[in-house]
Amino acid sequence: MKTRTIGQLTVSALGLGCMGMSEFYGDGDEQESIATIHEFLDAGGTLLDTADMYGPFTNEELVGRAIAGRRDDVVVATKFGNERREDGSWVGINGHPDYVRAACDASLKRLGVDHIDLYYQHRVDKTVPIEDTVGAMAELVQAGKVRHLGLSEASAETIRRAHAVHPITALQTEYSLWEREPETKVFPVLAELGIGFVPYSPLGRGFLTGQIRSVDDFAEDDFRRHSPRFQGENFARNLELVDRVKELADRKGCTPGQLALAWLLAQGEHVVPIPGTKKRERLRENLGAVDIELGVEDLQLLEQMAPAGATAGARYPNMSSIDT
């Protein structure tokens, strides 16, 4: 597996998003999920991405069981800030310093580790100055509980203010061939400050694999059933975009998902996508993207096929929690 450096942290060129192993994308299979994590590590992958809210709480425990005995092979990234109760109900976004410290201790225990390699604020708490939240995160670094700090879905101004308190290693935000907004909103500040970029949902929540043709392809409890991009006319328009991408993938001798990941990798050495999967078969397909090289002509064609703004529908039913 090739590696990349984000901030001062070296990780595999592709990470593995673990969220779907526990929630949001239908039922999971813990045995297959752990086998998927092990195969990722055996292939040279290092970056595992989780969060306390996934499950809630059970995804960190699953990752902890999977990495037991292999801690030195893993860069563990987890997040705090989307506060949920044990029953899954929503509390709210919480960036208060006391909560930051308590959430970190709870994550360390669930993961079964003595430090977190990359600790993200999952969403920006607009009621708490970012300086206070990152100040508490910096204390965790000083205490040896955390190695590197990250933000998720933060605006350029927030990133700049946070970085002034403590170096930010990575920003995690949705980015893919069907979500291009970060290019204009945050890429300039990331380049200026030397911050890495970790795109989540790099396959458009599975849409860019070409495997989804109907809402009926989703389990009843799959959150995509309620996503604006998977509804009515939006769904039909977005299928046209995927079909265009598939045409080029066929010519390149790869899958649409591999092409979508290769496009992300071509956006810069500071970009480390974290495609999520809970199946080894899909993992192998994703890892194949690292070896696909896209020339200038390929990138120009993809720009024509999937230009910024081409995707129909908002990313979430309610975008109010995004720091814009």
Side-chain angles (χ1 to χ4, degrees):
M1 172 73 78
K2 299 171 183 175
T3 61
R4 294 189 163 189
T5 300
I6 51 176
Q8 300 298 314
L9 181 63
T10 298
V11 296
S12 50
L14 278 182
L16 175 59
C18 299
M19 179 186 78
M21 297 175 179
S22 300
E23 195 179 13
F24 299 114
Y25 290 103
D27 293 335
D29 178 331
E30 178 161 330
Q31 186 175 354
E32 177 64 16
S33 294
I34 289 177
T36 300
I37 291 174
H38 287 170
E39 185 159 326
F40 173 73
L41 298 177
D42 291 342
T46 61
L47 179 61
L48 294 177
D49 185 89
T50 181
D52 57 5
M53 73 161 284
Y54 302 157
F57 314 122
T58 56
N59 194 245
E60 287 184 327
E61 294 170 346
L62 185 154
V63 169
R65 287 190 288 274
I67 66 174
R70 303 193 64 169
R71 181 65 181 95
D72 292 343
D73 299 333
V74 184
V75 175
V76 176
T78 192
K79 316 176 197 73
F80 74 91
N82 279 328
E83 189 178 0
R84 295 174 72 187
R85 301 180 184 89
E86 289 283 350
D87 64 3
S89 59
W90 174 251
V91 178
I93 297 172
N94 193 339
H96 289 87
D98 287 347
Y99 180 74
V100 175
R101 291 185 279 267
C104 179
D105 287 342
S107 288
L108 288 169
K109 184 176 181 180
R110 285 189 290 266
L111 288 161
V113 298
D114 63 2
H115 70 274
I116 294 164
D117 297 295
L118 177 56
Y119 200 39
Y120 292 99
Q121 181 184 20
H122 207 161
R123 290 291 186 272
V124 175
D125 185 343
K126 299 173 186 176
T127 70
V128 178
I130 192 65
E131 291 82 1
D132 292 354
T133 302
V134 175
M137 296 169 72
E139 291 174 7
L140 298 174
V141 176
Q142 293 160 7
K145 295 180 179 182
V146 170
R147 296 281 172 83
H148 300 269
L149 303 186
L151 301 174
S152 179
E153 293 285 0
S155 68
E157 179 188 359
T158 297
I159 295 165
R160 199 180 297 280
R161 288 169 55 192
H163 193 75
V165 175
H166 187 280
I168 300 298
T169 290
L171 174 73
Q172 184 173 139
T173 294
E174 183 174 354
Y175 181 53
S176 68
L177 273 172
W178 85 338
E179 180 49 57
R180 306 280 296 277
E181 192 174 62
E183 293 172 353
T184 54
K185 288 208 167 183
V186 296
F187 273 22
V189 73
L190 299 184
E192 175 191 337
L193 300 177
I195 298 172
F197 186 65
V198 179
Y200 74 83
S201 295
L203 295 172
R205 307 190 188 281
F207 211 95
L208 291 168
T209 65
Q211 301 296 311
I212 298 167
R213 308 304 297 180
S214 165
V215 174
D216 295 331
D217 292 333
F218 303 137
E220 287 297 325
D221 59 347
D222 192 309
F223 89 103
R224 289 172 291 186
R225 283 182 173 270
H226 309 289
S227 171
R229 291 187 174 177
F230 292 87
Q231 307 297 316
E233 289 186 14
N234 290 344
F235 192 100
R237 281 181 55 191
N238 293 333
L239 272 181
E240 293 175 5
L241 183 155
V242 173
D243 289 341
R244 293 195 296 271
V245 172
K246 186 177 185 304
E247 290 177 13
L248 180 56
D250 289 343
R251 296 206 294 272
K252 296 286 292 183
C254 63
T255 67
Q258 288 174 328
L259 183 63
L261 291 173
W263 177 84
L264 278 170
L265 291 168
Q267 301 310 302
E269 286 295 316
H270 67 298
V271 177
V272 179
I274 49 168
T277 185
K278 50 190 174 182
K279 296 181 179 178
R280 284 171 284 181
E281 178 184 5
R282 191 63 66 197
L283 171 72
R284 292 171 198 140
E285 177 186 337
N286 292 344
L287 293 179
V290 176
D291 298 317
I292 296 171
E293 294 192 7
L294 300 180
V296 174
E297 186 176 328
D298 295 324
L299 295 171
Q300 289 174 342
L301 276 172
L302 281 167
E303 185 65 36
Q304 294 169 13
M305 294 173 173
T311 308
R315 292 194 285 140
Y316 293 101
N318 179 0
M319 293 285 288
S320 63
S321 68
I322 303 301
D323 178 34
T324 56

